[in-house]
Each structure stands twice: as C-alpha cells, then as structure tokens.
Amino acid sequence: MTSPHIPVMVQEVLYWLHPEEGNIYVDCTVGGGGHSKAILEKLKGKVKILGIDRDEEALKIARAELKRHARQIILRKGNFRDLSVILVEEGIEKVDGVLYDLGLSTIQLGNPGRGFSFRYDAPLDMRVDRGQFLTAAHLVKQLSAEELGDIFFRLGQERWAKRVAEFLVRERRVHPIETTSDLVKVIEKAIPARVRTGRKIHYATKIFQALRIQVNRELENIRESLICCFNLVRRKGRVCVISYHSLEDKIVKEEFRKRNGDGINILTKKVIKPSQEEIRKNPRARSAKLRSAEIR
Ligand SMILES: C[S@@+](CC[C@H](N)C(=O)[O-])C[C@H]1O[C@@H](n2cnc3c(N)ncnc32)[C@H](O)[C@@H]1O
C-alpha cells in the first residue's frame, strides 16, 4: 500500500528541521509517512522517529510506506495535543526536533466515505479520529443558528455565515441534514447565485472547512501542543510547522513570537513558501507556509 499523499516542501523541511545522525525526532502528523521517510532516507536510517497520527487509516498506510525502516520509527495513534503524555508513555524525555504538517492529507480528503469533501455524497462525518463520538452531523443537528453562524464566520470566514446557519436550522425542521449533499443543497439556497458563481472557490468550501475545524478541534489542538512542545526539545533542537490556512498560521506565529528571544529563536524571519515549481506539480501545496524555531 503506497501513500496517495504527496508530501509538501520536503527539501525545505529537511533544511529547517536539520535532522542529524543519532538524534530523535517527532513527526506529530505522520500521515502517509512522506516527511518521515525523507528524514530516514537522508540519514540512511541512522535516526529515530516517533510518528504520531490521530487517524488509524493514515497510520496503516504509514506503516506500509515505512516498512523498510520499521526499526527506526515508532508509529502510534494519538493526538499531538497530548504530546508530553505520549513522550512519557514512550519513555522519551527530550527530543531533537518536532515537525507538524497540519491539516488533512489526500488519504482523508480523497476518501469519498469520510464526509470531508462536498464533491462526494457521504454521511456528514468529518472525524479525523473515527474513535471520537462527535461528528459534523451532530453539530448541524444540535447547535442553534447563533452557534452555527459563529462557527461558520470564525472558522470558515464565510460572509454569509448567519444566513447559511438560519437556512440550516429552518431546513432541518423539515428534513434531517445528514449527508454532504444535504448540506451543499442548503448552502446553495442560502448564498445568492451571483455570489456563488462569482467566487473562485466552490461556494461550500468555507462552510465545510469551518465544520471540519470544529469537529476535530483543530485550532485548540495546535495551540495546546505548541505551548508544551518547546519544553520537550533539547537545546539547539528545532520545531517546524507547516500550516495551510490563515487561522492555523496565526496561532503558529503568535506562539513563536511570544517566546522569541526567551526560550526560542525564530529562524524563519519571513515565512517559507513552496516554489512555483512545486505548486505546479502539486497544487495542494499552494497555501502551505513553513515556520521554524530553534530552542535556545
Ligand atoms: C497534511 S497530513 C500529513 C502528511 C504527512 N506529512 C505526509 O508526508 O504524508 C496531516 C496529518 O495530520 C493528522 N492530524 C491532524 N490533526 C492531528 C492531531 N491533533 N494529532 C495527530 N495527528 C493529527 C491527520 O490525520 C493527517 O494524517
């Protein structure tokens, strides 16, 4: 089983994480194993990696992808929010670097059954960790129009948030909103045709993004993990984060800046972006931003 996910900014990650022989690194979002594999190959296996992911399916693919390096990598299911506990459980006190490649992978987005994409009809699920109880369908069914509107506005930056939320609440009284198609139909009704057709992105993109972030508590996880991770990295070790939208990047920037000169040194004074060549080959890379800091 090979990973369908193309890892983003691999050369940049190798440069800014600067992995060295004999050291130990945490790949907090191992996904299909692309970045871990690049590190292992660069150092010819003379390195240890702890690879974490919330998604069982991703871990299965990573396990197959990294079979050759099975002795160098520990793969385990977990939320990077619990990084310090995971390290204690693995008997690791400090590491030499931590990598986060945020968001979702093609393993999830390209799976029609998981409800992340408005392009496929599927139950409104959107859980990265399928052991979690709460799904997007629960939110759409149970939250008030005010609560939904707030989520769509804050996490989707959708101008029509309030109207979509009101339409949803009205519509669900008539029939349940249980699938991606049910939701797309409501969004289509709520956002005026001239706005829908005038947008560069699909009119459902922002609402889907907002629900996904809320279901998986993505922003809280990033903040909590970054707050503890700097204490888990040895002096001169590095923390690298790739983010894919402004809400994620804002948190990374804030948490880095708060500690700059006092615990860490920010290495990427200007955010690092993928080359035009990479974006051409892998359009998913277009919104990626890499930040790196070194522990003082
Ligand atoms: C962009 S993908 C990583 C791809 C990976 N770097 C590669 O090269 O294949 C992001 C991964 O992070 C995982 N993830 C998202 N939130 C997480 C969290 N809070 N804890 C652990 N893993 C998480 C997702 O399941 C997904 O597999």
Side-chain angles (χ1 to χ4, degrees):
M1 196 189 311
T2 51
S3 171
H5 182 77
I6 306 170
V8 169
M9 288 201 277
V10 173
Q11 289 316 315
E12 291 84 346
V13 165
L14 291 176
Y15 179 82
W16 291 103
L17 187 65
H18 197 61
E20 290 182 300
E21 261 185 49
N23 284 352
I24 176 158
Y25 299 90
V26 187
D27 183 347
C28 277
T29 51
V30 74
H35 288 110
S36 283
K37 194 173 181 179
I39 296 170
L40 286 158
E41 283 176 356
K42 180 172 188 223
L43 296 173
K44 303 192 172 53
K46 291 183 192 133
V47 68
K48 284 245 183 277
I49 298 181
L50 169 62
I52 302 169
D53 206 288
R54 283 183 86 182
D55 186 349
E56 242 5 304
E57 198 184 334
L59 284 171
K60 219 157 90 188
I61 293 175
R63 215 162 270 130
E65 194 73 41
L66 299 165
K67 204 161 70 197
R68 237 166 53 80
H69 303 282
R71 285 147 63 102
Q72 268 63 54
I73 185 155
I74 305 167
L75 290 171
R76 62 164 284 172
K77 184 171 179 222
N79 187 327
F80 58 58
R81 185 191 59 205
D82 304 321
L83 185 59
S84 52
V85 178
I86 294 175
L87 288 190
V88 170
E89 284 171 2
E90 294 297 334
I92 301 168
E93 205 187 317
K94 291 255 180 182
V95 296
D96 300 286
V98 181
L99 170 67
Y100 298 83
D101 178 21
L102 301 171
L104 298 184
S105 79
T106 314
I107 299 168
Q108 290 132 349
L109 296 169
N111 182 334
R114 297 192 59 171
F116 288 113
S117 172
F118 44 79
R119 297 188 199 285
Y120 312 112
D121 186 28
L124 260 184
D125 187 325
M126 298 199 193
R127 291 169 301 169
V128 173
D129 174 359
R130 290 207 256 191
Q132 172 183 312
F133 175 74
L134 186 88
T135 65
H138 288 124
L139 297 182
V140 163
K141 185 173 175 192
Q142 287 167 16
L143 297 187
S144 66
E146 288 72 28
E147 288 168 321
L148 285 168
D150 177 57
I151 289 171
F152 298 157
F153 185 70
R154 268 187 315 108
L155 306 181
Q157 296 160 315
E158 172 57 72
R159 266 197 60 217
W160 297 85
K162 191 162 175 254
R163 202 170 133 96
V164 174
E166 283 165 0
F167 270 60
L168 253 180
V169 168
R170 206 180 312 150
E171 198 74 20
R172 77 186 181 193
R173 288 194 199 113
V174 188
H175 50 73
I177 315 289
E178 286 171 338
T179 67
T180 50
S181 307
D182 295 338
L183 179 59
V184 171
K185 276 183 211 144
V186 178
I187 303 170
E188 190 178 346
K189 278 190 204 163
I191 303 182
R194 70 181 153 78
V195 179
R196 270 188 280 121
T197 49
R199 279 192 183 171
K200 277 197 200 134
I201 52 170
H202 189 281
Y203 56 85
T205 307
K206 293 178 173 197
I207 300 291
F208 271 65
Q209 171 186 302
L211 282 173
R212 186 200 102 192
I213 294 176
Q214 180 68 21
V215 168
N216 298 298
R217 306 199 72 81
E218 292 179 23
L219 302 183
E220 292 87 338
N221 291 338
I222 298 168
R223 174 97 62 196
E224 281 182 39
S225 193
L226 284 178
I227 286 172
C228 77
C229 90
F230 300 107
N231 297 318
L232 304 170
V233 180
R234 268 189 272 275
R235 229 185 125 245
K236 296 281 172 202
R238 293 187 177 181
V239 175
C240 291
V241 191
I242 305 176
S243 60
Y244 293 88
H245 58 76
S246 57
L247 297 170
E248 287 173 345
D249 186 53
K250 183 167 173 278
I251 295 175
V252 180
K253 202 159 67 181
E254 277 172 14
E255 293 305 323
F256 272 29
R257 283 203 179 148
K258 265 186 224 168
R259 294 169 180 79
N260 195 26
D262 183 20
I264 70 170
N265 285 330
I266 295 177
L267 300 175
T268 46
K269 299 289 175 233
K270 261 181 72 186
V271 76
I272 309 297
K273 294 183 184 167
S275 65
Q276 285 306 315
E277 174 69 0
E278 175 169 4
I279 296 172
R280 197 179 53 73
K281 286 191 188 146
N282 178 19
R284 193 187 168 271
R286 69 186 175 279
S287 52
K289 286 183 179 160
L290 169 70
R291 294 184 189 273
S292 174
E294 187 173 71
I295 311 305
R296 279 162 77 98

